[in-house]
Amino acid sequence: MMKSIKPLLYKDGFWAFLMLLPNLIGFLMFLLLPVLATFVISFSSWNLTDSFAFNGIDNYKELFQDPVFIQVMGNTLYFTAASVPIGIAVSLLLAVFLNQKLRFIRFYRAAFFIPVISSMVAVSVIWQWIYNPEYGLLNYALSWFGIDGPAWLTDPNWAMPTVIITSIWKSLGFNMLIFLAGLQSISDSYYEAADIEGAKWYAKFRHITLPLLSPTTFFVTVMSVINSFQVFDTVYLMTQGGPARSTSVLVYYIFQNAFQYFRMGYASAMAYVLFFIVLIITFIQFWRQKKWSIY
């Protein structure tokens, strides 16, 4: 037996498989199997207590007749449509600013990245204090200009914008870091040639920076869209979907059905609808990026 095993010890493939085995086991146990189990559960009426029973595609039929599902889907699209372009634009401008030769530049970069590694619980507590209608910092600042600020987190008209602002602020540093890496990979020779031609800063930004940064922009856009459809912690900690479900998004509604209403089958069906929506949007982005991304 030792003679049959000994040749394997001299093969790189054997050692590569052995080193990857812990990750493969973790992938199978904690990702692939739960994904497959969720697919099976989505065709059932299982509620964690009764016996498992299949109900066909009834859960998927109910989804598109559920007014709450339609509302939270609209809220999710609203969140994505607002947070993604604004977040990308602000992080790009911030990266351009932090790509300059400034004093204390490392401090500035670290300061803008701190929210990314901060606990969402701590971030939510801080922003809830800022948004507080009675003693919050934001309404206090608005009072200097004679403006009576609204009840940000309890007003249906303002609750979602406040969640969007908090989410953008939390992820700003990550996108900024990616853009900063992309900016530093652009050769200075392009800008030197533009200087010789007498190009202004906005012309260089439009005709050099943006085109050569397009692969980075594509990556940031794809990741931002995927993350925006999966937003949960900000909503759960700051508004719990309220008021009047104005901030209830798809993942939060999945959480409610699974762990509050114990409708595991219905929640699993929503999870797969979310998966296919994100998959289709990602495919569209990869298809469209060939038309505007420069490599």
Side-chain angles (χ1 to χ4, degrees):
M1 184 175 179
M2 288 297 297
K3 291 182 178 179
S4 62
I5 295 177
K6 191 173 181 179
L8 291 175
L9 301 179
Y10 296 97
K11 292 185 178 180
D12 293 339
F14 171 77
W15 290 106
F17 176 77
L18 194 63
M19 295 298 105
L20 290 172
L21 189 59
N23 280 336
L24 290 174
I25 294 174
F27 172 78
L28 290 173
M29 291 182 61
F30 301 109
L31 187 62
L32 185 59
L33 288 179
V35 167
L36 296 176
T38 301
F39 182 71
V40 175
I41 293 171
S42 70
F43 296 99
S44 74
S45 58
W46 188 43
N47 62 2
L48 295 178
T49 56
D50 295 338
S51 58
F52 190 89
F54 285 100
N55 63 356
I57 61 171
D58 289 351
N59 290 327
Y60 292 93
K61 287 181 179 179
E62 184 181 350
L63 278 177
F64 299 100
Q65 299 172 354
D66 183 358
V68 177
F69 172 77
I70 296 173
Q71 181 183 2
V72 299
M73 178 59 71
N75 291 341
T76 306
L77 294 174
Y78 171 27
F79 180 90
T80 300
S83 64
V84 171
I86 296 174
I88 290 175
V90 174
S91 59
L92 174 57
L93 294 176
L94 189 60
V96 171
F97 171 73
L98 294 179
N99 196 39
Q100 309 301 316
K101 295 180 180 179
L102 303 172
R103 294 184 63 186
F104 309 113
I105 190 65
R106 292 183 180 178
F107 169 78
Y108 296 141
R109 291 172 182 174
F112 281 108
F113 191 75
I114 285 176
V116 179
I117 59 176
S118 299
S119 166
M120 191 62 221
V121 176
V123 169
S124 298
V125 170
I126 292 171
W127 279 94
Q128 283 176 323
W129 171 72
I130 293 173
Y131 289 134
N132 189 283
E134 297 180 1
Y135 52 83
L137 183 63
L138 183 55
N139 279 2
Y140 177 69
L142 290 175
S143 67
W144 296 349
F145 304 96
I147 300 174
D148 188 14
W152 299 96
L153 293 173
T154 56
D155 187 333
N157 296 319
W158 286 102
M160 182 59 86
T162 59
V163 170
I164 290 172
I165 291 171
T166 305
S167 180
I168 291 173
W169 179 84
K170 181 75 167 64
S171 61
L172 192 65
F174 177 80
N175 292 340
M176 175 209 72
L177 193 65
I178 301 299
F179 275 125
L180 192 58
L183 288 169
Q184 293 181 350
S185 68
I186 300 175
S187 175
D188 292 336
S189 60
Y190 294 107
Y191 298 105
E192 292 169 359
D195 289 333
I196 294 173
E197 295 295 329
K200 303 295 184 182
W201 67 268
Y202 52 84
K204 290 188 286 186
F205 180 77
R206 178 182 177 185
H207 297 292
I208 298 176
T209 303
L210 286 181
L212 295 180
L213 205 60
S214 56
T216 305
T217 306
F218 170 69
F219 172 78
V220 172
T221 302
V222 170
M223 296 305 298
S224 297
V225 170
I226 293 174
N227 291 334
S228 68
F229 271 94
Q230 297 177 340
V231 61
F232 169 77
D233 50 0
T234 311
V235 171
Y236 178 76
L237 292 169
M238 295 188 69
T239 64
Q240 301 229 330
R245 286 201 179 274
S246 60
T247 60
S248 183
V249 289
L250 192 51
V251 175
Y252 183 75
Y253 192 45
I254 293 173
F255 162 78
Q256 284 187 308
N257 277 275
F259 302 108
Q260 292 181 1
Y261 312 148
F262 301 109
R263 301 189 63 193
M264 297 300 295
Y266 193 55
S268 299
M270 275 192 287
Y272 262 89
V273 169
L274 173 61
F275 166 75
F276 282 111
I277 290 173
V278 173
L279 183 66
I280 291 170
I281 292 176
T282 303
F283 274 137
I284 293 173
Q285 288 177 304
F286 272 91
W287 172 63
R288 291 292 301 171
Q289 64 95 17
K290 298 178 181 178
K291 300 181 182 294
W292 59 270
S293 186
I294 299 173
Y295 292 94

